[in-house]
Amino acid sequence: MSYLVDENGYYGEFGGAYVPEILHGCVENLQQNYLKIIESESFRQEYMALLRDYVGRPSPLYYASRLSDKYGAKIYLKREDLNHTGAHKINNTVGQILLAKRMGKTRIIAETGAGQHGVATATVCALMNMKCEIFMGATDVERQHTNVERMKMLGATVHPVRTGNMTLSDACSAAIRDWCCHPSDTFYIVGSTMGPHPYPDLVARMQSVISEEIKEQLKEKIGRDYPDYLVACIGGGSNAAGTIYHYVDDERVRIVLAEAGGHGYETDYTAATFHRGTTGILHGAKMLVMQDGDGQIQEAFTISAGLDYPGVGPMHCNMYKKGRTQVLSINDDEAIRAGYELTRMEGIIPAIESAHAVAALSKMKFNPDDVVVLTVSGRGDKDIETYLNNKEKAGEYGQF
Ligand SMILES: *Cc1c(COP(=O)(O)O)cnc(C)c1O
């Protein structure tokens, strides 16, 4: 049994491609061509060269000795925060823009929440001289203002979306609506392992460079190419998918994902989709979704804009349902505290999303010989205000 996508675009009962009639041709064209293109020699060469010279890969695998002492295990951090533009998102946008070019598309659209995917998309559009339009909830435009200015400076047009809660989920819907109006010339660069097939598989493959590198780096550092635990935060699921990709069928490796609990998964202020979601269809795929009895999507709530989504990618839904993945719900205050802890113990200010993964460590039990690889999905520059406004949640670390 494999946990990767089947030939029909499903992961067990999850996935598929539920799109409006007008996009059928477009999505089918992508389904039929993406593997041919991304597995071709010319694509591989151009993609790998950009990952190396433009993104700055391989990202280091860093042995965090103070963190290791504290938690009683051998903890390694996969440093996606050191990538160009500050997160793992760029791995995917570099790949998808090369695919868009090879498919003859001239206009790029994307959705964004915190603005990290918007910035990563605007960046590669500048690089490739492509027209770029970003859809972003009006609430997020306000709370992530610096990223909006970065996108504009890079040459993108940013469309504030004023429907619904005016956050990520509404931005996704707006991007899909725009795509329906321009199916022939437009390529939609999806930012996470979500959307209609083949996007979840496409994005997972683009991020799989993370686990490819972890294998090589572990082999070099500890003489074996697998850890006992992989830990990552999860919103739509792309950094998690990249972290686990080459290990999904390796049962020696335990997978622990950290989702955003907000005020607590048992409250109404949460984004803990695994704990609270039920099967539904959102943005083109069948997945776990937070919804009411009538199938109305519920608003997600978390301090972390990058995890503020009421669904989760189909690959992860299937692995969770089959018991392959353990999911921990991390509350806002726990994430803040863990962000301060990593800052003070290792000198690394993580993105508030990544801080959720760090917080998972305190809920896990280790043997001293356990090897843990934890992905730091992004850097915390964008979150300094959030950290400072929540100092009181950081305990002794907040006294400054
Ligand atoms: C976007 C983002 C996430 C969440 O998205 P995934 O697709 O689940 O990885 C996590 N961390 C950072 C830094 C992000 O920018």
Side-chain angles (χ1 to χ4, degrees), residues 205-229:
R205 284 170 188 263
M206 294 294 134
Q207 294 292 357
S208 70
V209 64
I210 298 173
S211 54
E212 202 175 301
E213 290 174 2
I214 291 173
K215 277 195 132 172
E216 279 173 30
Q217 291 167 322
L218 274 182
K219 179 92 194 154
E220 195 188 296
K221 286 181 197 297
I222 64 166
R224 71 172 217 222
D225 69 356
Y226 67 94
D228 298 293
Y229 290 93

PDB file of all heavy atoms in Angstrom, residues 205-229:
ATOM      1  N   ARG A 205       5.369  16.890  -4.930  1.00  0.00           N
ATOM      2  CA  ARG A 205       6.604  16.562  -5.660  1.00  0.00           C
ATOM      3  C   ARG A 205       7.579  17.733  -5.664  1.00  0.00           C
ATOM      4  O   ARG A 205       8.792  17.548  -5.557  1.00  0.00           O
ATOM      5  CB  ARG A 205       6.283  16.162  -7.104  1.00  0.00           C
ATOM      6  CG  ARG A 205       5.711  14.768  -7.215  1.00  0.00           C
ATOM      7  CD  ARG A 205       5.193  14.534  -8.632  1.00  0.00           C
ATOM      8  NE  ARG A 205       4.468  13.284  -8.731  1.00  0.00           N
ATOM      9  CZ  ARG A 205       5.002  12.132  -9.169  1.00  0.00           C
ATOM     10  NH1 ARG A 205       6.255  12.084  -9.539  1.00  0.00           N
ATOM     11  NH2 ARG A 205       4.264  11.043  -9.233  1.00  0.00           N
ATOM     12  N   MET A 206       7.048  18.947  -5.814  1.00  0.00           N
ATOM     13  CA  MET A 206       7.919  20.122  -5.829  1.00  0.00           C
ATOM     14  C   MET A 206       8.581  20.338  -4.459  1.00  0.00           C
ATOM     15  O   MET A 206       9.674  20.864  -4.371  1.00  0.00           O
ATOM     16  CB  MET A 206       7.121  21.375  -6.209  1.00  0.00           C
ATOM     17  CG  MET A 206       6.587  21.363  -7.627  1.00  0.00           C
ATOM     18  SD  MET A 206       7.921  21.422  -8.799  1.00  0.00           S
ATOM     19  CE  MET A 206       7.472  20.166  -9.951  1.00  0.00           C
ATOM     20  N   GLN A 207       7.884  19.958  -3.399  1.00  0.00           N
ATOM     21  CA  GLN A 207       8.450  20.119  -2.051  1.00  0.00           C
ATOM     22  C   GLN A 207       9.261  18.895  -1.621  1.00  0.00           C
ATOM     23  O   GLN A 207       9.951  18.944  -0.603  1.00  0.00           O
ATOM     24  CB  GLN A 207       7.327  20.373  -1.028  1.00  0.00           C
ATOM     25  CG  GLN A 207       6.582  21.688  -1.190  1.00  0.00           C
ATOM     26  CD  GLN A 207       7.445  22.914  -0.881  1.00  0.00           C
ATOM     27  OE1 GLN A 207       8.610  22.817  -0.491  1.00  0.00           O
ATOM     28  NE2 GLN A 207       6.863  24.096  -1.075  1.00  0.00           N
ATOM     29  N   SER A 208       9.197  17.808  -2.394  1.00  0.00           N
ATOM     30  CA  SER A 208       9.834  16.560  -1.967  1.00  0.00           C
ATOM     31  C   SER A 208      11.356  16.668  -1.919  1.00  0.00           C
ATOM     32  O   SER A 208      12.029  15.806  -1.370  1.00  0.00           O
ATOM     33  CB  SER A 208       9.421  15.397  -2.873  1.00  0.00           C
ATOM     34  OG  SER A 208       9.997  15.550  -4.161  1.00  0.00           O
ATOM     35  N   VAL A 209      11.892  17.745  -2.482  1.00  0.00           N
ATOM     36  CA  VAL A 209      13.331  17.998  -2.391  1.00  0.00           C
ATOM     37  C   VAL A 209      13.748  18.072  -0.911  1.00  0.00           C
ATOM     38  O   VAL A 209      14.880  17.749  -0.564  1.00  0.00           O
ATOM     39  CB  VAL A 209      13.705  19.292  -3.158  1.00  0.00           C
ATOM     40  CG1 VAL A 209      13.058  20.526  -2.536  1.00  0.00           C
ATOM     41  CG2 VAL A 209      15.218  19.478  -3.228  1.00  0.00           C
ATOM     42  N   ILE A 210      12.824  18.446  -0.041  1.00  0.00           N
ATOM     43  CA  ILE A 210      13.142  18.553   1.400  1.00  0.00           C
ATOM     44  C   ILE A 210      13.535  17.173   1.948  1.00  0.00           C
ATOM     45  O   ILE A 210      14.595  17.014   2.554  1.00  0.00           O
ATOM     46  CB  ILE A 210      11.944  19.138   2.194  1.00  0.00           C
ATOM     47  CG1 ILE A 210      11.610  20.564   1.711  1.00  0.00           C
ATOM     48  CG2 ILE A 210      12.251  19.144   3.690  1.00  0.00           C
ATOM     49  CD1 ILE A 210      10.336  21.159   2.334  1.00  0.00           C
ATOM     50  N   SER A 211      12.692  16.157   1.711  1.00  0.00           N
ATOM     51  CA  SER A 211      13.026  14.833   2.264  1.00  0.00           C
ATOM     52  C   SER A 211      14.146  14.154   1.481  1.00  0.00           C
ATOM     53  O   SER A 211      14.891  13.333   2.030  1.00  0.00           O
ATOM     54  CB  SER A 211      11.790  13.930   2.339  1.00  0.00           C
ATOM     55  OG  SER A 211      11.147  13.821   1.112  1.00  0.00           O
ATOM     56  N   GLU A 212      14.284  14.497   0.204  1.00  0.00           N
ATOM     57  CA  GLU A 212      15.409  13.976  -0.572  1.00  0.00           C
ATOM     58  C   GLU A 212      16.712  14.429   0.095  1.00  0.00           C
ATOM     59  O   GLU A 212      17.641  13.637   0.286  1.00  0.00           O
ATOM     60  CB  GLU A 212      15.304  14.563  -1.985  1.00  0.00           C
ATOM     61  CG  GLU A 212      16.014  13.816  -3.076  1.00  0.00           C
ATOM     62  CD  GLU A 212      15.698  14.477  -4.428  1.00  0.00           C
ATOM     63  OE1 GLU A 212      14.511  14.557  -4.787  1.00  0.00           O
ATOM     64  OE2 GLU A 212      16.653  14.927  -5.087  1.00  0.00           O
ATOM     65  N   GLU A 213      16.757  15.697   0.463  1.00  0.00           N
ATOM     66  CA  GLU A 213      17.955  16.225   1.129  1.00  0.00           C
ATOM     67  C   GLU A 213      18.124  15.658   2.534  1.00  0.00           C
ATOM     68  O   GLU A 213      19.241  15.366   2.955  1.00  0.00           O
ATOM     69  CB  GLU A 213      17.886  17.757   1.202  1.00  0.00           C
ATOM     70  CG  GLU A 213      18.054  18.436  -0.150  1.00  0.00           C
ATOM     71  CD  GLU A 213      17.842  19.953  -0.101  1.00  0.00           C
ATOM     72  OE1 GLU A 213      17.598  20.492   1.001  1.00  0.00           O
ATOM     73  OE2 GLU A 213      17.923  20.590  -1.146  1.00  0.00           O
ATOM     74  N   ILE A 214      17.006  15.503   3.273  1.00  0.00           N
ATOM     75  CA  ILE A 214      17.102  14.956   4.634  1.00  0.00           C
ATOM     76  C   ILE A 214      17.776  13.586   4.581  1.00  0.00           C
ATOM     77  O   ILE A 214      18.659  13.272   5.375  1.00  0.00           O
ATOM     78  CB  ILE A 214      15.705  14.851   5.304  1.00  0.00           C
ATOM     79  CG1 ILE A 214      15.140  16.246   5.599  1.00  0.00           C
ATOM     80  CG2 ILE A 214      15.784  14.040   6.596  1.00  0.00           C
ATOM     81  CD1 ILE A 214      13.693  16.250   6.099  1.00  0.00           C
ATOM     82  N   LYS A 215      17.391  12.764   3.596  1.00  0.00           N
ATOM     83  CA  LYS A 215      17.986  11.422   3.455  1.00  0.00           C
ATOM     84  C   LYS A 215      19.503  11.499   3.310  1.00  0.00           C
ATOM     85  O   LYS A 215      20.246  10.821   4.011  1.00  0.00           O
ATOM     86  CB  LYS A 215      17.409  10.718   2.223  1.00  0.00           C
ATOM     87  CG  LYS A 215      16.083  10.047   2.464  1.00  0.00           C
ATOM     88  CD  LYS A 215      15.753   9.076   1.350  1.00  0.00           C
ATOM     89  CE  LYS A 215      15.321   7.775   1.984  1.00  0.00           C
ATOM     90  NZ  LYS A 215      14.803   6.799   1.007  1.00  0.00           N
ATOM     91  N   GLU A 216      19.943  12.330   2.380  1.00  0.00           N
ATOM     92  CA  GLU A 216      21.391  12.452   2.149  1.00  0.00           C
ATOM     93  C   GLU A 216      22.102  13.020   3.361  1.00  0.00           C
ATOM     94  O   GLU A 216      23.185  12.555   3.745  1.00  0.00           O
ATOM     95  CB  GLU A 216      21.651  13.403   0.973  1.00  0.00           C
ATOM     96  CG  GLU A 216      21.498  12.759  -0.371  1.00  0.00           C
ATOM     97  CD  GLU A 216      21.593  13.792  -1.493  1.00  0.00           C
ATOM     98  OE1 GLU A 216      22.302  14.805  -1.295  1.00  0.00           O
ATOM     99  OE2 GLU A 216      20.938  13.589  -2.537  1.00  0.00           O
ATOM    100  N   GLN A 217      21.503  14.059   3.954  1.00  0.00           N
ATOM    101  CA  GLN A 217      22.171  14.741   5.062  1.00  0.00           C
ATOM    102  C   GLN A 217      22.237  13.862   6.309  1.00  0.00           C
ATOM    103  O   GLN A 217      23.239  13.874   7.021  1.00  0.00           O
ATOM    104  CB  GLN A 217      21.444  16.065   5.350  1.00  0.00           C
ATOM    105  CG  GLN A 217      21.649  17.076   4.219  1.00  0.00           C
ATOM    106  CD  GLN A 217      20.710  18.283   4.305  1.00  0.00           C
ATOM    107  OE1 GLN A 217      19.546  18.144   4.670  1.00  0.00           O
ATOM    108  NE2 GLN A 217      21.223  19.456   3.967  1.00  0.00           N
ATOM    109  N   LEU A 218      21.187  13.074   6.575  1.00  0.00           N
ATOM    110  CA  LEU A 218      21.209  12.170   7.720  1.00  0.00           C
ATOM    111  C   LEU A 218      22.268  11.092   7.515  1.00  0.00           C
ATOM    112  O   LEU A 218      23.030  10.766   8.419  1.00  0.00           O
ATOM    113  CB  LEU A 218      19.848  11.509   7.923  1.00  0.00           C
ATOM    114  CG  LEU A 218      18.805  12.261   8.748  1.00  0.00           C
ATOM    115  CD1 LEU A 218      17.549  11.408   8.867  1.00  0.00           C
ATOM    116  CD2 LEU A 218      19.331  12.638  10.130  1.00  0.00           C
ATOM    117  N   LYS A 219      22.315  10.568   6.316  1.00  0.00           N
ATOM    118  CA  LYS A 219      23.292   9.524   5.983  1.00  0.00           C
ATOM    119  C   LYS A 219      24.702  10.025   6.298  1.00  0.00           C
ATOM    120  O   LYS A 219      25.515   9.324   6.895  1.00  0.00           O
ATOM    121  CB  LYS A 219      23.149   9.177   4.495  1.00  0.00           C
ATOM    122  CG  LYS A 219      24.104   8.130   3.992  1.00  0.00           C
ATOM    123  CD  LYS A 219      23.483   6.742   4.106  1.00  0.00           C
ATOM    124  CE  LYS A 219      24.571   5.682   3.926  1.00  0.00           C
ATOM    125  NZ  LYS A 219      24.278   4.433   4.557  1.00  0.00           N
ATOM    126  N   GLU A 220      24.938  11.258   5.892  1.00  0.00           N
ATOM    127  CA  GLU A 220      26.255  11.848   6.103  1.00  0.00           C
ATOM    128  C   GLU A 220      26.528  12.097   7.596  1.00  0.00           C
ATOM    129  O   GLU A 220      27.624  11.856   8.088  1.00  0.00           O
ATOM    130  CB  GLU A 220      26.299  13.165   5.335  1.00  0.00           C
ATOM    131  CG  GLU A 220      27.676  13.746   5.132  1.00  0.00           C
ATOM    132  CD  GLU A 220      27.556  15.143   4.524  1.00  0.00           C
ATOM    133  OE1 GLU A 220      27.054  15.251   3.383  1.00  0.00           O
ATOM    134  OE2 GLU A 220      27.945  16.109   5.201  1.00  0.00           O
ATOM    135  N   LYS A 221      25.496  12.546   8.313  1.00  0.00           N
ATOM    136  CA  LYS A 221      25.721  12.935   9.710  1.00  0.00           C
ATOM    137  C   LYS A 221      25.643  11.779  10.698  1.00  0.00           C
ATOM    138  O   LYS A 221      26.369  11.763  11.684  1.00  0.00           O
ATOM    139  CB  LYS A 221      24.686  14.006  10.125  1.00  0.00           C
ATOM    140  CG  LYS A 221      24.966  15.372   9.523  1.00  0.00           C
ATOM    141  CD  LYS A 221      23.936  16.390   9.991  1.00  0.00           C
ATOM    142  CE  LYS A 221      23.925  17.613   9.112  1.00  0.00           C
ATOM    143  NZ  LYS A 221      25.175  18.378   9.117  1.00  0.00           N
ATOM    144  N   ILE A 222      24.729  10.834  10.480  1.00  0.00           N
ATOM    145  CA  ILE A 222      24.565   9.769  11.486  1.00  0.00           C
ATOM    146  C   ILE A 222      24.735   8.370  10.899  1.00  0.00           C
ATOM    147  O   ILE A 222      24.586   7.380  11.609  1.00  0.00           O
ATOM    148  CB  ILE A 222      23.190   9.866  12.208  1.00  0.00           C
ATOM    149  CG1 ILE A 222      22.034   9.639  11.220  1.00  0.00           C
ATOM    150  CG2 ILE A 222      23.029  11.213  12.910  1.00  0.00           C
ATOM    151  CD1 ILE A 222      20.696   9.376  11.892  1.00  0.00           C
ATOM    152  N   GLY A 223      25.038   8.302   9.612  1.00  0.00           N
ATOM    153  CA  GLY A 223      25.324   6.996   9.012  1.00  0.00           C
ATOM    154  C   GLY A 223      24.099   6.182   8.649  1.00  0.00           C
ATOM    155  O   GLY A 223      24.200   5.047   8.201  1.00  0.00           O
ATOM    156  N   ARG A 224      22.925   6.702   8.853  1.00  0.00           N
ATOM    157  CA  ARG A 224      21.714   6.021   8.357  1.00  0.00           C
ATOM    158  C   ARG A 224      20.780   7.099   7.810  1.00  0.00           C
ATOM    159  O   ARG A 224      20.835   8.252   8.256  1.00  0.00           O
ATOM    160  CB  ARG A 224      21.054   5.174   9.446  1.00  0.00           C
ATOM    161  CG  ARG A 224      20.385   5.962  10.529  1.00  0.00           C
ATOM    162  CD  ARG A 224      19.574   5.056  11.475  1.00  0.00           C
ATOM    163  NE  ARG A 224      18.373   5.755  11.855  1.00  0.00           N
ATOM    164  CZ  ARG A 224      17.867   5.778  13.101  1.00  0.00           C
ATOM    165  NH1 ARG A 224      18.428   5.100  14.073  1.00  0.00           N
ATOM    166  NH2 ARG A 224      16.780   6.466  13.362  1.00  0.00           N
ATOM    167  N   ASP A 225      19.987   6.725   6.820  1.00  0.00           N
ATOM    168  CA  ASP A 225      19.302   7.782   6.062  1.00  0.00           C
ATOM    169  C   ASP A 225      17.863   8.040   6.500  1.00  0.00           C
ATOM    170  O   ASP A 225      17.103   8.659   5.780  1.00  0.00           O
ATOM    171  CB  ASP A 225      19.365   7.485   4.555  1.00  0.00           C
ATOM    172  CG  ASP A 225      18.526   6.291   4.160  1.00  0.00           C
ATOM    173  OD1 ASP A 225      17.933   5.628   5.056  1.00  0.00           O
ATOM    174  OD2 ASP A 225      18.445   5.997   2.963  1.00  0.00           O
ATOM    175  N   TYR A 226      17.487   7.558   7.699  1.00  0.00           N
ATOM    176  CA  TYR A 226      16.128   7.830   8.161  1.00  0.00           C
ATOM    177  C   TYR A 226      16.144   8.217   9.636  1.00  0.00           C
ATOM    178  O   TYR A 226      17.005   7.763  10.389  1.00  0.00           O
ATOM    179  CB  TYR A 226      15.228   6.607   7.934  1.00  0.00           C
ATOM    180  CG  TYR A 226      15.603   5.417   8.779  1.00  0.00           C
ATOM    181  CD1 TYR A 226      14.992   5.190  10.016  1.00  0.00           C
ATOM    182  CD2 TYR A 226      16.598   4.544   8.359  1.00  0.00           C
ATOM    183  CE1 TYR A 226      15.353   4.117  10.804  1.00  0.00           C
ATOM    184  CE2 TYR A 226      16.968   3.470   9.151  1.00  0.00           C
ATOM    185  CZ  TYR A 226      16.353   3.255  10.373  1.00  0.00           C
ATOM    186  OH  TYR A 226      16.722   2.206  11.162  1.00  0.00           O
ATOM    187  N   PRO A 227      15.200   9.065  10.050  1.00  0.00           N
ATOM    188  CA  PRO A 227      15.084   9.422  11.467  1.00  0.00           C
ATOM    189  C   PRO A 227      14.045   8.530  12.139  1.00  0.00           C
ATOM    190  O   PRO A 227      13.379   7.727  11.475  1.00  0.00           O
ATOM    191  CB  PRO A 227      14.564  10.860  11.395  1.00  0.00           C
ATOM    192  CG  PRO A 227      13.663  10.834  10.191  1.00  0.00           C
ATOM    193  CD  PRO A 227      14.246   9.830   9.221  1.00  0.00           C
ATOM    194  N   ASP A 228      13.912   8.651  13.455  1.00  0.00           N
ATOM    195  CA  ASP A 228      12.829   7.951  14.149  1.00  0.00           C
ATOM    196  C   ASP A 228      11.536   8.751  14.078  1.00  0.00           C
ATOM    197  O   ASP A 228      10.452   8.193  14.050  1.00  0.00           O
ATOM    198  CB  ASP A 228      13.219   7.715  15.614  1.00  0.00           C
ATOM    199  CG  ASP A 228      14.454   6.836  15.701  1.00  0.00           C
ATOM    200  OD1 ASP A 228      14.356   5.654  15.325  1.00  0.00           O
ATOM    201  OD2 ASP A 228      15.535   7.347  16.084  1.00  0.00           O
ATOM    202  N   TYR A 229      11.703  10.078  14.065  1.00  0.00           N
ATOM    203  CA  TYR A 229      10.525  10.952  13.999  1.00  0.00           C
ATOM    204  C   TYR A 229      10.735  12.060  12.972  1.00  0.00           C
ATOM    205  O   TYR A 229      11.824  12.632  12.880  1.00  0.00           O
ATOM    206  CB  TYR A 229      10.275  11.652  15.348  1.00  0.00           C
ATOM    207  CG  TYR A 229       9.797  10.755  16.440  1.00  0.00           C
ATOM    208  CD1 TYR A 229      10.717  10.179  17.319  1.00  0.00           C
ATOM    209  CD2 TYR A 229       8.447  10.485  16.609  1.00  0.00           C
ATOM    210  CE1 TYR A 229      10.287   9.348  18.351  1.00  0.00           C
ATOM    211  CE2 TYR A 229       8.009   9.658  17.639  1.00  0.00           C
ATOM    212  CZ  TYR A 229       8.924   9.097  18.504  1.00  0.00           C
ATOM    213  OH  TYR A 229       8.490   8.280  19.526  1.00  0.00           O
TER     214      TYR A 229
END
